[in-house]
């Protein structure tokens, strides 16, 4: 049972048990960061649109109160 192939398989299994979780974690972190950046960008765009709408609404309101 103690053939070199058996030891090689054990080494491969050990390496895989270390590499695979690291790979999964790094992919998970990359995807979650990308999602976070997209959410931040969408929030920024929403805020800009809201600010424009508020300024436009305020200008309309001032014109209406002047006229």
């Amino acid at each position: 049972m103690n053939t070199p192939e058996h030891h090689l398989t054990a080494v491969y299994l050990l390496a895989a048990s270390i590499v695979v979780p690291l790979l999964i974690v790094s992919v998970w972190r990359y995807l979650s960061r990308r999602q976070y950046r997209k959410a931040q960008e969408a929030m920024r765009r929403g805020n800009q649109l809201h600010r424009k709408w508020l300024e436009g609404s305020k200008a309309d309101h001032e014109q209406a109160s002047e006229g």
Side-chain angles (χ1 to χ4, degrees), residues 7-50:
H7 287 296
L8 202 57
T9 305
V11 169
Y12 282 145
L13 282 174
L14 182 65
S17 70
I18 293 169
V19 169
V20 169
L22 286 175
L23 188 66
I24 290 172
V25 166
S26 62
V27 168
W28 181 274
R29 288 179 65 192
Y30 168 75
L31 290 176
S32 62
R33 278 193 191 131
R34 198 176 75 173
Q35 181 88 10
Y36 178 76
R37 276 200 304 270
K38 279 185 176 178
Q40 289 294 96
E41 186 59 38
M43 196 149 37
R44 219 172 286 124
R45 263 198 313 273
N47 285 344
Q48 286 172 350
L49 285 173
H50 185 64

